[in-house]
């Protein structure tokens, strides 16, 4: 079973916001002649990298709920200009919506076992992804999602 990461998606109010941000950043890199890849920079490098790269994903917590995930493609440790160790989590830019799963706020990222991760929205429930974010949030707050 793959191991995953979970992280707060700070600054995004919805999955649509995250998708727009990813698209914007990829376009910026394309225009700048940089490699067109999506990554998230973190302070800590996961020690269980091999497990994460064996099919793992980064699950995003948006507005108090896990709402989506992106597959982890690579983990790149590096040292920044100030001499601080950091890590780039290279992600598939495709955002996969999941069942909503409530999560309290936390700092950094955490490991997430496959059995504790929310399921992807399947074909029979794809209509949930089309529902406006505000309505999804209200239904989640009522415990209906």
């Amino acid at each position: 079973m793959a191991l995953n990461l979970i992280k707060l998606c700070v600054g995004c109010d919805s999955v649509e916001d995250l998708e727009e941000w990813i698209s914007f950043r990829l376009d910026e890199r394309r225009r700048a002649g940089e490699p067109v890849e999506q990554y998230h920079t973190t302070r800590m490098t996961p020690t269980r990298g091999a497990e994460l790269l064996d099919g793992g994903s980064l699950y995003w917590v948006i507005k108090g709920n896990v709402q989506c995930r992106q597959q982890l493609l690579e983990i790149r440790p590096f040292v920044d200009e100030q001499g601080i160790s950091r890590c780039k989590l290279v992600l598939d830019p495709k955002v996969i919506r999941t069942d909503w799963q409530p999560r309290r706020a936390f700092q950094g990222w955490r490991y997430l076992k496959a059995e504790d991760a929310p399921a992807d929205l399947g074909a029979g429930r794809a209509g949930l992804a089309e529902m406006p974010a505000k309505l999804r949030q209200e239904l989640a707050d009522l415990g209906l999602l």
Side-chain angles (χ1 to χ4, degrees):
M1 276 191 169
L3 184 64
N4 304 291
L5 293 177
I6 186 168
K7 181 156 183 23
L8 298 182
C9 193
V10 178
C12 286
D13 290 328
S14 67
V15 176
E16 293 81 8
D17 281 352
L18 175 61
E19 290 170 330
E20 288 174 17
W21 184 86
I22 291 168
S23 178
F24 175 78
R25 292 294 293 153
L26 292 176
D27 287 344
E28 274 190 331
R29 288 189 176 103
R30 192 175 291 109
R31 284 191 300 273
E34 298 173 358
V36 181
E37 61 185 10
Q38 201 247 323
Y39 58 84
H40 180 76
T41 302
T42 75
R43 172 77 166 86
M44 303 300 291
T45 300
T47 57
R48 300 171 68 182
E51 293 173 82
L52 290 168
L53 296 176
D54 188 23
S57 292
L58 175 60
Y59 283 79
W60 291 109
V61 177
I62 301 172
K63 293 290 191 182
N65 290 287
V66 176
Q67 296 186 31
C68 60
R69 69 179 179 90
Q70 291 179 270
Q71 184 176 2
L72 281 161
L73 302 177
E74 190 177 347
I75 297 171
R76 285 190 209 141
F78 70 100
V79 177
D80 70 11
E81 303 83 32
Q82 291 85 31
I84 299 171
S85 296
R86 299 202 182 274
C87 175
K88 287 182 182 176
L89 302 172
V90 182
L91 305 165
D92 184 329
K94 181 182 179 200
V95 175
I96 300 165
R97 293 165 193 261
T98 65
D99 284 341
W100 281 28
Q101 186 182 75
R103 287 291 170 137
R104 291 189 175 168
F106 58 93
Q107 291 186 350
W109 51 261
R110 302 284 185 268
Y111 290 112
L112 179 66
K113 295 178 186 175
E115 60 267 19
D116 297 331
D120 293 349
L121 285 182
R125 297 177 39 221
L128 288 175
E130 304 305 319
M131 193 180 294
K134 184 176 180 182
L135 179 57
R136 284 194 314 255
Q137 183 66 53
E138 288 176 11
L139 291 173
D141 291 344
L142 293 170
L144 299 173
L145 284 184

